[in-house]
Amino acid sequence: MLFQTWSFLLFFAVVYSAYLVLRRTRLHLLYLTAVSYFFYGWLNPLYPVLLLYTTAVDYFAVRFLVKGTKKKRWIVLSVVNNMALLGFFKYGLFLIDNVNALFSSLNLAYEISAPGILLPIGISFYTFRSLTYTIDCYRGTLNREGSFMRHAAFVSFFPLLLAGPIERAKTLLPQLHDNAPITGEDIGDGLSLFVVGLFKKLALADFLALYVNRIYSAPGEYQSAALIAATVAFSWQIYFDFSGYSDMARGVARMFGFRIMLNFDNPYLATGLGDFWRRWHISLSTWFRDYVYIPLGGNRKGAFLTSFNIFLTMLVSGLWHGAAWTFVIWGVVHGLFAVFLRGLEASATYKHKVPIWVKRAIVFTLVSFAWIFFKAANLADALLIIKRMFTSGVADPMLPLTLAAMVLIVWLYQALYESRFKLALNRPAVRIALVVSMILYMCLFTGSGGQAFIYFQF
Amino acid sequence: MPESNNTYKKVQPSQTPGKEVPFSSNMVRLSLSHWFISAVLLVFLFITIPLFWDKFEPLNVDGDSRAAYALSQDYWHYSRYAARQMKKEGLIAVMGDSVVWGEYVEPNGTLSHYLNEQLSTEHFVNLGINGSHPMALSGLVEFYARAVRNSDVLLQYNPLWMSSARHDLQINKEFSFNHPRLVPQFAVKIPCYRASLSEKVSVVMDRYIEFRSWSRHLSITCFDNKDFPAWSLENAYANPFAMNSDNLAQKRHDPVSWQTRGMREQKMDWVDLETSLQWAAFERTIKTLQKRGNRVFVLVGPFNEHCLEPDSKAQYQALKQNIGHRLEEKNVAYLMADPVPSDLYADSSHPLAQGYEMLVRDVTASDPFQRWYNNRSQ
């Protein structure tokens, strides 16, 4: 069930009304879990089985971890179980393809047949969310959750189920425990977040997708200007698509009385790659920071190992995003750029003399370049796009003017938001005008709204 | 990873770290009172924009006008056209599928044209819609033809829609048929219609919120029947609000007979009247009209019986009889149109201009029609 569809609005209207009645009763956790499982099962009736399995294994792993003396055994079980699930469903096919390619290159007449596994949507998100519970309990930074139902509600909480944010157990479980009253502010804020997210998805991301897909589906037919325009357009498409989903998820959660972490913070205004990752998919970046980068040693073991740790973390992040070499290369490119920019930022000249807009332009260019590997259908296409960007002619890119204007307006809005003129945006009349304009635009000009979110594939 | 020595406890409801979560990376944050103001503003705009547009966009109608072919799927336009046509008192709406619209004839060769001509009047207006069928007609009448309320209606029924399970929309295999947005979305199960829940809800919203059907009108007239993003991809630098007048041109097929077209006699697997979805929809249409105070006259046919194989023809005669009985039971004035000569048909159900002329001569001379016409509301 996609947030931007009428079926979701129907689902929400029914589920929310009943929740308002049940939320002060003992049934509220059971109800929240049941509707989350229904929401997930709508996509495929088998998905909830896997979700229940993850939930149960992690719940009991922590239970035994707390009671027993061999704590390591139980945390290893939880991590291995979650990674095995991801490995089987997400990387199984990738592995088989590569093994078959290896056999073929060695002239071995043997081929492993593809098992025909369907990747359960959202598995990367809920396994990582569930891991924050087991790892934090193991580290002693989080207390064990005694109620299985509350734990199940935490892992399956439907607004976050399909594409995050990867809210930590230590912030979501206490909210499930508190069951604080839903205020008018929660509803107003939730609606605001939802409408902005919906606008990002329907009006901007889906519009940009049409242009990007046309060019990226046949890169050999387009020249430099179109390929550059499509790459820049994809940078914005993926931002609007994913941050739009996050906003909607946060908005829905907020209307249920839950405050979910900010997941995107105007990332294309970042002045460095470190800054970019503090603004982009924050829930995942901080997950990797806390559970991969810092355990690897972080920046505590000298310049070389710091760079190595950054590089390794980016590589793992690339793999998390998808089972394809393009994602691995995307992670590698980001790792290399991060190390390079880190070196550049160490110099006083770059730090103090280079204007902020140049730094922003550099970061945007590097990030956009890396997105080529993320978006391209395969490695050959990515390399073809890069080659043609620099070697083909400059024909008219035919980028719709209205689309370019809309992206420019959003960028200016964000720049204004991060400037001293920020308060001008805070006037009620401006905010109301913006919301009314966004809703009118969506009612008038957006498409069918059936396009899935990019991050569902991860 | 470090092994922790702390004592594990159950989570206590002690803290709500979420309280400090930053709201967003923008200032678009409305309080409930702001939302109320926005809702009032939106409702005002939703109501006034289509009204304003109605005044602004030209629509000229005259005696022989018909809804533009290219706007057949534009129900906001149809609704506006019907309202413009039925402005005067005492008019008679001629409603039905492309047989009424006049698929193979010019606007001055249609059923309504000849009715006006032979009765020396200007009462009959063509409210047929191209590509329609009884199931779609029921939706059209219910939601987009409110302007015909309390008028007299000549409702044409084309038996073609019962000539096979496919025509009757009874087959289980999904296929694309005309006017899916007019058929019942939830009330009637149509086996070949498999729209998603979201699509169905969207259709229902279109019917009740004029702004939505108007926005579809905008897509059809300004954006080549696409949504705005898809259109602007093909028209990167064009003005989105320059209406494409080519779209509005009426179109028709060549007016040649079915034999010249190469059609042969056909075997038709007529569906049973009792189980027919199309006939049930037609009965619903009659009921809707009657509830609205319309005096209804049903014209069945004129189906091209010349193109039927003998067995099919016999079945068709039986079907016609059944239809007659059903209409009599419901006390509805009707006429079973006799077929016009074979060479005056363009296909299995559409007459050519001369065929319409001949048909109207028969209709106007018939007792049921004369009784209905002479007792019409003034």
Side-chain angles (χ1 to χ4, degrees), chain B residues 61-268:
Chain B
V61 293
D62 60 37
D64 280 337
S65 291
R66 55 185 174 182
Y69 173 85
L71 302 183
S72 299
Q73 313 261 351
D74 180 352
Y75 309 124
W76 185 80
H77 170 80
Y78 180 85
S79 172
R80 184 172 173 241
Y81 165 79
R84 204 62 65 91
Q85 280 281 35
M86 299 299 291
K87 231 174 185 174
K88 277 196 267 171
E89 289 283 308
L91 294 179
I92 300 170
V94 184
M95 304 184 82
D97 62 12
S98 50
V99 172
V100 169
W101 188 82
E103 180 82 2
Y104 295 86
V105 296
E106 296 289 356
N108 61 1
T110 61
L111 182 64
S112 53
H113 170 85
Y114 287 113
L115 282 165
N116 281 327
E117 188 179 271
Q118 289 183 29
L119 294 167
S120 304
T121 176
E122 287 184 348
H123 285 139
F124 293 89
V125 294
N126 186 343
L127 291 189
I129 191 162
N130 195 282
S132 176
H133 46 89
M135 191 79 85
L137 189 67
S138 72
L140 188 79
V141 166
E142 190 172 352
F143 301 105
Y144 300 102
R146 294 189 180 100
V148 301
R149 184 181 292 274
N150 296 322
S151 322
D152 293 344
V153 176
L154 192 157
L155 193 59
Q156 180 259 348
Y157 183 72
N158 186 351
L160 172 77
W161 301 110
M162 294 171 69
S163 64
S164 70
R166 188 181 167 91
H167 279 88
D168 201 50
L169 308 181
Q170 280 191 28
I171 59 169
N172 271 317
K173 195 180 167 203
E174 185 180 15
F175 72 94
S176 136
F177 54 85
N178 285 331
H179 299 287
R181 301 183 78 83
L182 288 177
V183 304
Q185 301 296 311
F186 297 104
V188 177
K189 184 171 166 44
I190 304 170
C192 59
Y193 182 52
R194 306 264 169 85
S196 68
L197 177 64
S198 280
E199 286 167 315
K200 289 181 171 187
V201 174
S202 161
V203 170
V204 173
M205 301 289 279
D206 282 7
R207 292 170 177 178
Y208 291 102
I209 302 175
E210 189 186 0
F211 184 84
R212 283 181 56 87
S213 54
W214 169 74
S215 72
R216 288 186 62 78
H217 167 72
L218 211 61
S219 299
I220 292 168
T221 52
C222 296
F223 309 138
D224 297 341
N225 207 2
K226 296 173 184 151
D227 58 50
F228 171 66
W231 173 85
S232 59
L233 205 62
E234 307 303 323
N235 302 273
Y237 311 127
N239 172 10
F241 293 104
M243 294 183 83
N244 185 354
S245 56
D246 290 348
N247 268 347
L248 307 177
Q250 300 201 355
K251 294 175 186 169
R252 63 186 183 85
H253 299 292
D254 290 336
V256 294
S257 76
W258 63 287
Q259 293 106 327
T260 314
R261 209 176 290 282
M263 271 178 70
R264 297 197 174 169
E265 281 191 355
Q266 293 171 42
K267 180 181 183 310
M268 290 184 174

Side-chain angles (χ1 to χ4, degrees), chain A residues 245-438:
Chain A
Y245 181 87
S246 295
D247 287 342
M248 284 189 268
R250 293 180 71 220
V252 172
R254 186 65 183 265
M255 283 188 265
F256 277 81
F258 296 92
R259 293 168 189 240
I260 304 300
M261 69 186 296
L262 182 67
N263 212 18
F264 288 84
D265 188 13
N266 299 335
Y268 292 140
L269 295 178
T271 53
L273 270 183
D275 187 22
F276 175 80
W277 284 109
R278 278 187 291 277
R279 293 160 172 265
W280 180 276
H281 201 176
I282 300 166
S283 63
L284 181 72
S285 309
T286 50
W287 197 101
F288 278 118
R289 182 196 65 200
D290 295 345
Y291 301 110
V292 179
Y293 177 67
I294 291 175
L296 281 172
N299 60 1
R300 300 186 306 272
K301 295 186 176 172
F304 176 76
L305 276 180
T306 300
S307 297
F308 179 75
N309 291 340
I310 291 173
F311 181 80
L312 201 63
T313 307
M314 291 314 305
L315 183 67
V316 176
S317 168
L319 259 177
W320 178 89
H321 278 87
W325 286 110
T326 46
F327 293 113
V328 176
I329 305 270
W330 175 78
V332 168
V333 168
H334 257 285
L336 290 174
F337 284 162
V339 171
F340 163 71
L341 265 192
R342 199 177 150 81
L344 204 60
E345 283 162 358
S347 78
T349 316
Y350 184 83
K351 216 175 199 172
H352 303 297
K353 298 274 172 66
V354 176
I356 193 166
W357 63 267
V358 174
K359 288 178 183 168
R360 282 177 175 165
I362 290 172
V363 172
F364 183 75
T365 307
L366 295 181
V367 170
S368 297
F369 179 81
W371 286 134
I372 295 172
F373 295 97
F374 200 93
K375 173 63 184 168
N378 50 51
L379 204 53
D381 268 12
L383 296 174
L384 177 70
I385 289 165
I386 294 166
K387 185 183 165 198
R388 288 185 67 81
M389 270 181 177
F390 297 104
T391 56
S392 60
V394 189
D396 184 351
M398 297 297 284
L399 176 70
L401 268 185
T402 37
L403 181 59
M406 283 165 71
V407 172
L408 184 67
I409 289 168
V410 173
W411 187 86
L412 283 174
Y413 179 91
Q414 292 186 347
L416 207 60
Y417 178 83
E418 296 215 350
S419 75
R420 61 199 165 93
F421 301 109
K422 177 178 180 173
L423 287 179
L425 303 174
N426 199 23
R427 293 171 189 275
V430 174
R431 284 181 282 142
I432 290 172
L434 277 172
V435 166
V436 169
S437 310
M438 284 192 287

Side-chain angles (χ1 to χ4, degrees), chain A residues 5-7 10 42 65-66 69 71-72 135 137-140 142-146 170-171 174-175 177-178 184-185 187-189 191-193 195-196 207 210-211 214 239 250 254 259-262 264-266 396 398-402 413 417 422 425-426 428 431-432 434-436 438-441 443-448, chain B residues 1-35 37-39 41-42 45-46 49 186 196-203 205-206 209 211-212 214-216 218-219 223 227-238 240-241:
Chain A
T5 57
W6 288 108
S7 41
L10 266 182
W42 184 270
L65 181 151
V66 170
T69 48
K71 300 182 190 319
K72 206 164 226 168
I135 297 174
C137 282
Y138 170 73
R139 287 175 171 177
L142 178 68
N143 295 327
R144 178 176 81 83
E145 172 51 59
K170 64 172 75 166
T171 55
Q175 294 188 66
H177 224 296
D178 273 2
E185 189 189 331
I187 296 172
D189 281 356
L191 278 173
S192 307
L193 284 166
V195 166
V196 170
F207 195 169
L210 292 175
Y211 182 73
R214 183 168 73 176
Y239 165 66
R250 293 180 71 220
R254 186 65 183 265
R259 293 168 189 240
I260 304 300
M261 69 186 296
L262 182 67
F264 288 84
D265 188 13
N266 299 335
D396 184 351
M398 297 297 284
L399 176 70
L401 268 185
T402 37
Y413 179 91
Y417 178 83
K422 177 178 180 173
L425 303 174
N426 199 23
R431 284 181 282 142
I432 290 172
L434 277 172
V435 166
V436 169
M438 284 192 287
I439 295 176
L440 262 186
Y441 179 90
C443 291
L444 269 180
F445 297 125
T446 54
S448 56
Chain B
M1 279 184 223
E3 192 111 350
S4 173
N5 294 322
N6 83 320
T7 313
Y8 293 99
K9 296 171 291 187
K10 288 184 179 179
V11 172
Q12 297 301 315
S14 55
Q15 48 174 2
T16 45
K19 291 287 181 203
E20 298 309 314
V21 168
F23 166 73
S24 184
S25 59
N26 62 61
M27 304 294 282
V28 186
R29 182 180 202 173
L30 300 190
S31 64
L32 274 186
S33 54
H34 291 151
W35 270 109
I37 297 168
S38 306
L41 254 174
L42 279 167
L45 291 169
F46 278 11
I49 292 175
F186 297 104
S196 68
L197 177 64
S198 280
E199 286 167 315
K200 289 181 171 187
V201 174
S202 161
V203 170
M205 301 289 279
D206 282 7
I209 302 175
F211 184 84
R212 283 181 56 87
W214 169 74
S215 72
R216 288 186 62 78
L218 211 61
S219 299
F223 309 138
D227 58 50
F228 171 66
W231 173 85
S232 59
L233 205 62
E234 307 303 323
N235 302 273
Y237 311 127
F241 293 104

